[in-house]
Amino acid sequence: MFHSTDLSPRELQIAERYAAGCSYQELAADLHIAPSTVRTHLATIYRKLEVSSKVELASRLNGVSAAPRSQEDHAAIISELALSLEEALSREKALSEVLRIIGASQGDLNLVMPAILRYALDLCDAEFGILFEYRDKKRFRATFTLGIPTAFQDWLDDSGTFSVSDQTGLGRLVTQRTVINIMDVKSEALYRTDDPLRFATADLGGARSFVAIPMLAADRLVGAFTIYRQSVRPFSEDALRVAQMFAAQSVIALENARIFGSSGHQV
């Protein structure tokens, strides 16, 4: 049975609000502490109460006894919490660094975009990434790439600005204006047609799992932030959130470049 004395007053405050639905960021803002401090408190809370999820935490706070766990299970939970905390800190550090680069770049996309792609590939465990600029009428141009196989890069360079069909990931992104997460690009019927983009993606790029994030400035589609894995390993919800975070920073960088450009600065 849970007793309030099991936790310090600060831990109890954080535990109750987190179990009620507050995010790390909301707790950090309300309590005037860093998100990493919130995560450290939560790791301690989980360890003290022997829980491994927000649902279990809420149950324990409501007086439900913890299910018995073996020493091995307890060690596994602690290891998983430590890993999750480390990953969260890495995301926070990467975002801070990207924001710093954007602020210092004076609109120079050649400084910003490679850094954004590099952090995205690292944190999302992806092999290569492409930032596509959207022109209009389902036409795209690969503006920045990182880690891309040479054959696929050559195809993109030769294609310049190209049109996409409705069935491609980029075509669906234009229509739906939402994240397109494809488990295996070779398993879709489109791969068995003569669609040039799907052929280039799968056969020249060796891509299997793929995600495309729409880059929106207000309601205007300005591009697509795409990352690829060369094995069938679908992107998790956590990976998608990370990719969306970097896509949002890419939009900020593009808008900054536009502002600096209209002010007469070199971009």
Side-chain angles (χ1 to χ4, degrees):
M1 184 69 68
F2 166 72
H3 299 285
S4 59
T5 53
D6 293 339
L7 303 176
S8 71
R10 175 64 103 186
E11 290 167 351
L12 182 60
Q13 181 185 30
I14 290 174
E16 290 177 339
R17 296 182 66 177
Y18 184 66
C22 285
S23 67
Y24 290 171
Q25 290 73 22
E26 289 170 337
L27 282 167
D30 291 345
L31 300 177
H32 305 291
I33 56 179
S36 57
T37 303
V38 174
R39 297 186 189 102
T40 301
H41 279 303
L42 284 170
T44 302
I45 292 164
Y46 275 38
R47 184 177 67 252
K48 285 184 175 181
L49 301 186
E50 298 185 359
V51 298
S52 58
S53 70
K54 184 181 288 190
V55 172
E56 285 190 5
L57 175 61
S59 295
R60 290 283 280 123
L61 293 176
N62 288 328
V64 178
S65 298
R69 285 195 174 95
S70 67
Q71 197 67 25
E72 291 78 11
D73 288 340
H74 187 67
I77 289 171
I78 297 304
S79 298
E80 182 63 28
L81 287 171
L83 180 60
S84 297
L85 177 60
E86 183 176 299
E87 291 172 347
L89 290 171
S90 295
R91 289 195 296 270
E92 187 175 310
K93 181 179 179 181
L95 179 58
S96 297
E97 179 62 13
V98 166
L99 291 173
R100 185 194 67 77
I101 294 171
I102 290 174
S105 68
Q106 294 189 324
D108 187 348
L109 295 177
N110 291 314
L111 292 176
V112 177
M113 293 307 184
I116 292 177
L117 283 170
R118 183 172 65 252
Y119 282 119
L121 296 184
D122 183 38
L123 293 176
C124 296
D125 191 22
E127 276 76 40
F128 65 92
I130 306 172
L131 192 152
F132 289 100
E133 180 185 349
Y134 182 60
R135 294 298 170 87
D136 60 16
K137 299 179 181 178
K138 295 187 178 176
R139 297 187 306 143
F140 286 89
R141 183 181 184 89
T143 309
F144 293 93
T145 65
L146 187 67
I148 186 170
T150 301
F152 192 13
Q153 181 69 65
D154 290 343
W155 184 89
L156 290 169
D157 291 341
D158 292 341
S159 299
T161 299
F162 58 91
S163 298
V164 299
S165 67
D166 292 339
Q167 293 76 35
T168 61
L170 292 179
R172 280 178 263 173
L173 179 142
V174 174
T175 302
Q176 300 173 23
R177 302 295 174 97
T178 190
V179 175
I180 305 298
N181 189 10
I182 299 177
M183 181 182 298
D184 182 4
V185 297
K186 287 190 174 183
S187 70
E188 296 190 327
L190 181 65
Y191 178 66
R192 295 183 289 278
T193 71
D194 59 356
D195 184 87
L197 177 59
R198 182 54 58 94
F199 166 78
T201 302
D203 287 21
L204 301 181
R208 297 301 297 269
S209 295
F210 156 79
V211 64
I213 313 292
M215 296 168 56
L216 299 169
D219 294 329
R220 180 172 56 91
L221 181 66
V222 297
F225 189 90
T226 64
I227 54 176
Y228 307 76
R229 288 173 173 166
Q230 293 175 310
S231 58
V232 181
R233 292 183 298 124
F235 289 90
S236 67
E237 290 299 319
D238 283 344
L240 292 181
R241 281 192 289 270
V242 172
Q244 288 175 293
M245 176 182 76
F246 286 112
Q249 300 311 312
S250 297
V251 173
I252 292 173
L254 287 173
E255 290 298 287
N256 280 356
R258 181 184 60 80
I259 292 169
F260 273 91
S262 63
S263 300
H265 290 76
Q266 183 70 33
V267 296

